[in-house]
Amino acid sequence: MSNENIKIEDNFLAQGDFDNLHNIMMTPEFPWFLSGIIDSRADVDKFQFIHFFYKDCVPTSNWFPIMTPILETLNPLSIWRIKANLLTRTSNIIENTFHADIGDLSEKKLKQWTTAILYINTNNGYTKFKDGMKVESVANRMVTFPTNTEHTGTSCTDEKARVIINFNYFTNDTLL
């Protein structure tokens, strides 16, 4: 996998749409759920907070409508999952386990899917790819890549939390 398959877009959403999304997700009223798994069940000492907007091809959250501006831009033909992750601050940046999203598909089918990560807040955490490339967590930045690309996220040390939304979908462009 080469870096040319990884696309980084700053200011992904119009500022007003992003501010609305940010303001909703970063308030105490937004529901987060404890997950004892980040990337691997073997990481027994790690946890995160998650919010599923969409899972197994169906909306699962009353908050799903706040995804509309993102989905209008991504224009997916089909969505498998939309999941927000909140990792709390740690004293040192902790890299999690490398993984590819949607691990239970064949390699051929997996190549048809796209993963996109929208960063909700700016912090010193990052997404790291198996080849060593790092994408810094910058608010309103979107990184997209083939779903079979191994990657991992990290904690942060300079904010109370690192918040991202992860999308797994395919478009007409990926149907070859």
Side-chain angles (χ1 to χ4, degrees):
M1 191 64 52
S2 64
N3 289 351
E4 69 223 23
N5 293 317
I6 300 170
K7 178 183 171 191
I8 301 169
E9 186 176 350
D10 287 331
N11 302 309
F12 179 75
L13 291 174
Q15 195 60 52
D17 289 335
F18 181 77
D19 289 346
N20 182 56
L21 179 66
H22 178 273
N23 292 341
I24 290 170
M25 292 185 69
M26 300 302 283
T27 63
E29 291 78 27
F30 188 78
W32 291 99
F33 303 92
L34 179 64
S35 173
I37 300 170
I38 294 181
D39 298 319
S40 168
R41 293 187 189 283
D43 292 335
V44 295
D45 293 331
K46 294 182 180 179
F47 70 94
Q48 67 181 339
F49 294 92
I50 62 172
H51 184 98
F52 280 106
F53 291 98
Y54 203 92
K55 185 177 179 184
D56 298 328
C57 303
V58 294
T60 57
S61 170
N62 292 335
W63 295 91
F64 179 71
I66 67 173
M67 296 292 104
T68 299
I70 302 164
L71 296 174
E72 286 175 349
T73 304
L74 292 177
N75 196 25
L77 186 61
S78 180
I79 304 167
W80 181 67
R81 181 177 72 183
I82 302 172
K83 181 178 78 130
N85 297 336
L86 183 154
L87 286 158
T88 58
R89 176 176 45 210
T90 54
S91 56
N92 298 305
I93 290 182
I94 297 171
E95 290 185 359
N96 295 306
T97 306
F98 281 105
H99 67 282
D101 295 349
I102 319 179
D104 56 349
L105 293 178
S106 71
E107 187 66 23
K108 181 179 177 184
K109 287 184 180 179
L110 202 54
K111 288 179 182 179
Q112 296 176 334
W113 290 85
T114 298
T115 293
I117 300 171
L118 180 64
Y119 301 91
I120 301 302
N121 66 326
T122 298
N123 57 74
N124 66 355
Y126 51 88
T127 301
K128 184 176 179 180
F129 294 90
K130 194 88 178 215
D131 68 1
M133 178 182 174
K134 291 182 184 179
V135 178
E136 303 297 326
S137 296
V138 175
N140 203 12
R141 171 177 283 172
M142 178 72 87
V143 60
T144 57
F145 49 92
T147 297
N148 63 342
T149 306
E150 289 195 49
H151 63 284
T152 190
T154 69
S155 62
C156 69
T157 63
D158 63 338
E159 294 292 332
K160 289 185 178 184
R162 176 176 182 258
V163 180
I164 61 104
I165 307 173
N166 182 284
F167 300 82
N168 302 114
Y169 63 98
F170 71 81
T171 65
N172 284 325
D173 296 340
T174 54
L175 292 176
L176 301 174

